[in-house]
Amino acid sequence: YLAEKGQLPDVPGGGSMFWRKVSSLLRQGVYSVMEFAPGKGLDNVTDSDITLEVLRTYGELAAFDILINNGDRIPIIHDNNGNPGNVHISGGRVVAIDNRIAPVPQSVIERDAKAGKETYLDRVTKMVSELKKDKTSSEPIAKMRKFVELHSNEGKEWGGNAEKRTAAIYEGFMKVAKEISKLELSNFEKISKEVPAPPEAKIT
């Protein structure tokens, strides 16, 4: 579209390598089509937008993110502050945007593939143990709850409905976690064979 409108600059000898590649792709008519989901990010909603269904689907998304090692959304096992803008609330539920399947070393402390994998598995194991023991009062659920409180309730803790809200997060998280537990290693091996992994993501 930009090429047809003459809005792409000629960059045969200038501009960054990245922009030259983007410009070349756009001139070939390459584009991406994504579903439009009207709504707001978690950082642009109020406490009244946080229904039990929103929290259940939020919990589902958190469990899925751990499976795909997406550390750029909800901070549970990753060392960051999360990204509330990528928790999109649309139609009374949470919709995932800006998704990615990340090689393990990219979102944990260790950059070495083997050490990164071990750290990731250690953190997942610890998380599962805490969930089994403390359930809704566990540290992982507390982190998910605080993340919502921080960005949708001006940092204030939930009041009288805190127990129901926390239970909704736990319910959603465990729903997806139980489905993940049914997956066989062969499912992942099949995917790894069909989709070539970048060097840092090779299974060791």
Side-chain angles (χ1 to χ4, degrees), residues 59-127:
E60 292 174 6
L61 177 61
F64 177 70
D65 273 350
I66 290 174
L67 173 66
I68 64 173
N69 190 39
N70 182 11
D72 185 34
R73 189 151 35 210
I74 306 167
I76 305 173
I77 65 169
H78 299 94
D79 299 321
N80 57 45
N81 295 322
N83 188 345
N86 284 350
V87 181
H88 193 69
I89 298 175
S90 176
R93 56 187 289 115
V94 167
V95 176
I97 64 171
D98 193 17
N99 302 298
R100 67 172 185 154
I101 300 175
V104 168
Q106 285 192 2
S107 297
V108 292
I109 298 171
E110 291 83 356
R111 303 298 295 182
D112 172 74
K114 186 176 181 181
K117 180 181 176 182
E118 290 174 354
T119 299
Y120 169 79
L121 293 176
D122 285 346
R123 293 184 183 187
V124 171
T125 301
K126 180 183 177 184
M127 179 198 69

Side-chain angles (χ1 to χ4, degrees), residues 1 26 29-37 99:
Y1 172 79
L26 289 174
V30 177
Y31 56 90
S32 174
V33 177
M34 294 181 287
E35 175 188 1
F36 175 69
N99 302 298

Side-chain angles (χ1 to χ4, degrees), residues 110-198:
E110 291 83 356
R111 303 298 295 182
D112 172 74
K114 186 176 181 181
K117 180 181 176 182
E118 290 174 354
T119 299
Y120 169 79
L121 293 176
D122 285 346
R123 293 184 183 187
V124 171
T125 301
K126 180 183 177 184
M127 179 198 69
V128 170
S129 176
E130 291 172 346
L131 285 167
K132 282 184 177 180
K133 180 182 177 183
D134 300 320
K135 299 184 179 179
T136 56
S137 60
S138 64
E139 183 180 351
I141 299 299
K143 283 184 176 181
M144 287 182 255
R145 169 182 165 173
K146 288 177 182 177
F147 188 66
V148 177
E149 289 176 335
L150 175 64
H151 296 289
S152 66
N153 199 28
E154 299 179 345
K156 300 174 184 175
E157 293 186 0
W158 290 332
N161 59 355
E163 188 174 339
K164 284 186 177 180
R165 286 183 161 193
T166 305
I169 295 175
Y170 178 79
E171 180 186 334
F173 187 91
M174 293 308 296
K175 175 185 175 183
V176 172
K178 287 175 181 177
E179 291 301 314
I180 292 172
S181 70
K182 297 176 185 177
L183 295 173
E184 300 289 340
L185 180 60
S186 58
N187 297 130
F188 298 99
E189 290 175 340
K190 183 174 184 291
I191 293 173
S192 66
K193 289 177 182 177
E194 294 177 352
V195 182

Side-chain angles (χ1 to χ4, degrees), residues 39-51:
K40 295 179 285 187
L42 184 60
D43 51 348
N44 283 308
V45 299
T46 62
D47 188 59
S48 61
D49 295 307
I50 308 300
T51 64

